[in-house]
Amino acid sequence: MRGTATWGVRGAAALLTVAGLGHTLWHGVDEPGAALAFGALIAIGELARRDRQDPPGRRPAPLGSAGALAYALLGQNAGQPTHHGVLQTVAVVVAAALAGIVPHIARGRGPALDHLSRRVLTAAFTAACFQPLYNSGRLEQWLGQGPYLVLFLLILLGLTVLCDAVLAAAPAGARTGRPYGPLLRDELRAQLGIGSAICATGVVMALGAAVAGLWAIPVFSVPLLLTQLSFHRITAIRTTYRQTITSLARATEIAGCTRPGHSRRVAALSCAVGRELGLSERELTVLEYAALMHDIGQLSLVDPVRDGATAGLPGAEARRIAELGGEVARQTGVPAEVAVVVERQADPYREQPLAARIVRTVNAYDDLVGGSRHPGGSLAALERLRLGTGHDYQPEVVECLARVLARGGRGRVVPVPPG
């Protein structure tokens, strides 16, 4: 079903592309100067993208997105009415995006097809809501040029944001297997960041071009370009922060307290379970950091636990290690929620936050599988977890873990190589 939705999005974008290019080639380009100017802006936006830093599914080319939105909302150019329509908007967006994507493809870093499909469908949706009303004169007749027009544009922007989020969540669900509802919620939350800057720039650029002409394009592009650079810097800082926490988590492996790759396996599998349970992106980040650091308290022990397997320890000893880990986590400067998850791993699951329940269950699973020496180790580990659902492990988390493992093929996590 999810795969069908993805191919539906791509198919609709392909049909619009063929229709737009065919119509434009047959009838020619209306207002070629405006088409060239906005096309150049979209192409430059694609050239400025940084795929290695932007998370999958997010807007990796905000300048290009703003240019496409502005062209879809362009009603006048220096006081003169435009007549480019919906299909020419699609043609210009596709041609410009492809021109900007070609250098990335040449370097082997071409964007996903879903990104281009979203760009085409979102631009077509916005243009279809605006261009027919404007070109027919009804928009000016009904709303004039005053505050009602601004209100209309704000409502249209809201619908455009919703359309883009729906289109982004569909392929993301097919790619990750996560429930659609939480994915849509995450996409809508993401619009509050760079998405709001894109929408504001697109509208202001279109309104500015209506009065000042095409000179408004470079003037209003500079603030968004600076915002884009700032977001790239923030993303780079977050990446460095995650790498630092991962390196810190490896200290338990280097000290011989845990098996090689244990913390990274627990973090990867915990995030998979968290996505299955519908956690938001922020909650998944907290879960990942806590899973990486869940054994950090063992560095404070005189006699580390053998193989780092804390799942079978007495309750008092497990709580002591968890509390030590929480103290160490607080000293590293991680968010307070991470330290809480780490220090409450050994509590009865009914008293734990959901992230702590997930980490505790996945940690126990990896400990049990790591100590198994027979082919049924994974199934036996899950059975042990099910037997402990009365006090130690939440049943819903255990069953969610079983579903995630079942989708993995052989029912166990592929080991992460050291280093």
Side-chain angles (χ1 to χ4, degrees):
M1 190 70 180
R2 287 169 174 165
T4 303
T6 301
W7 283 108
V9 170
R10 295 176 180 178
L15 289 175
L16 276 173
T17 298
V18 172
L21 292 176
H23 177 272
T24 304
L25 290 174
W26 182 263
H27 295 281
V29 179
D30 291 320
E31 293 90 30
L36 180 61
F38 281 98
L41 177 64
I42 296 171
I44 292 172
E46 290 292 342
L47 286 170
R49 60 185 292 140
R50 298 184 182 182
D51 296 283
R52 293 181 179 178
Q53 291 187 2
D54 291 299
R58 297 289 182 256
R59 294 171 179 256
L63 195 60
S65 298
L69 180 61
Y71 192 58
L73 295 175
L74 184 64
Q76 293 184 353
N77 179 11
Q80 299 299 318
T82 61
H83 306 89
H84 52 277
V86 178
L87 291 179
Q88 181 172 312
T89 299
V90 171
V92 170
V93 169
V94 171
L98 290 176
I101 286 171
V102 167
H104 295 286
I105 296 177
R107 292 196 296 267
R109 296 193 290 113
L113 184 60
D114 296 328
H115 160 68
L116 187 56
S117 299
R118 281 174 58 194
R119 177 69 58 79
V120 171
L121 291 176
T122 303
F125 173 82
T126 307
C129 293
F130 179 83
Q131 293 293 335
L133 290 176
Y134 174 80
N135 291 333
S136 65
R138 295 176 183 173
L139 190 62
E140 185 173 359
Q141 178 183 351
W142 293 345
L143 303 178
Q145 298 293 331
Y148 292 110
L149 176 61
V150 176
L151 179 61
F152 170 77
L153 292 177
L154 291 176
I155 294 174
L156 180 55
L157 284 180
L159 293 175
T160 301
V161 166
L162 180 60
C163 173
D164 184 73
V166 169
L167 294 173
R175 184 175 61 251
T176 64
R178 292 181 59 191
Y180 184 80
L183 280 172
L184 180 59
R185 180 185 62 191
D186 289 340
E187 292 295 336
L188 289 173
R189 286 178 176 175
Q191 302 291 345
L192 298 176
I194 192 67
S196 59
I198 291 172
C199 291
T201 302
V203 171
V204 172
M205 195 180 296
L207 295 177
V211 177
L214 300 179
W215 290 106
I217 296 178
V219 172
F220 292 111
S221 297
V222 173
L224 182 59
L225 184 59
L226 296 177
T227 302
Q228 179 179 352
L229 295 175
S230 299
F231 269 85
H232 284 317
R233 292 291 299 272
I234 292 173
T235 302
I237 291 172
R238 288 177 177 173
T239 301
T240 303
Y241 189 52
R242 179 177 285 106
Q243 292 172 346
T244 301
I245 292 178
T246 303
S247 300
L248 180 62
R250 286 198 62 202
T252 58
E253 303 173 18
I254 297 172
C257 300
T258 58
R259 291 174 291 109
H262 170 71
S263 61
R264 286 170 289 165
R265 287 193 300 270
V266 172
L269 190 51
S270 293
C271 288
V273 172
R275 291 189 183 96
E276 184 76 11
L277 290 171
L279 298 187
S280 66
E281 289 295 330
R282 172 170 173 74
E283 291 169 333
L284 287 173
T285 300
V286 171
L287 176 62
E288 180 187 11
Y289 291 171
L292 286 169
M293 304 184 71
H294 74 279
D295 273 330
I296 202 72
Q298 294 198 47
L299 294 175
S300 302
L301 299 178
V302 177
D303 296 317
V305 181
R306 182 179 179 182
D307 293 329
T310 57
L313 291 177
E317 182 66 12
R319 277 191 291 274
R320 187 171 75 89
I321 295 175
E323 291 172 358
L324 290 172
E327 287 298 322
V328 174
R330 283 189 175 86
Q331 297 300 319
T332 63
V334 297
E337 304 98 310
V338 176
V340 170
V341 173
V342 172
E343 71 182 1
R344 298 189 62 184
Q345 289 179 79
D347 294 350
Y349 79 80
R350 293 178 180 84
E351 303 174 9
Q352 292 176 316
L354 179 56
R357 301 176 189 181
I358 296 173
V359 173
R360 180 175 184 173
T361 302
V362 175
N363 174 57
Y365 170 81
D366 195 71
D367 285 344
L368 292 170
V369 170
S372 300
R373 294 294 183 268
H374 53 86
S378 297
L379 296 177
L382 284 173
E383 195 60 32
R384 287 278 300 276
L385 294 179
R386 289 190 175 103
L387 292 175
T389 53
H391 180 269
D392 296 325
Y393 313 111
Q394 183 179 11
E396 292 82 0
V397 175
V398 175
E399 295 309 315
C400 184
L401 172 62
R403 291 196 300 271
V404 170
L405 292 171
R407 285 202 301 267
R410 292 180 296 175
R412 66 180 299 162
V413 183
V414 178
V416 179

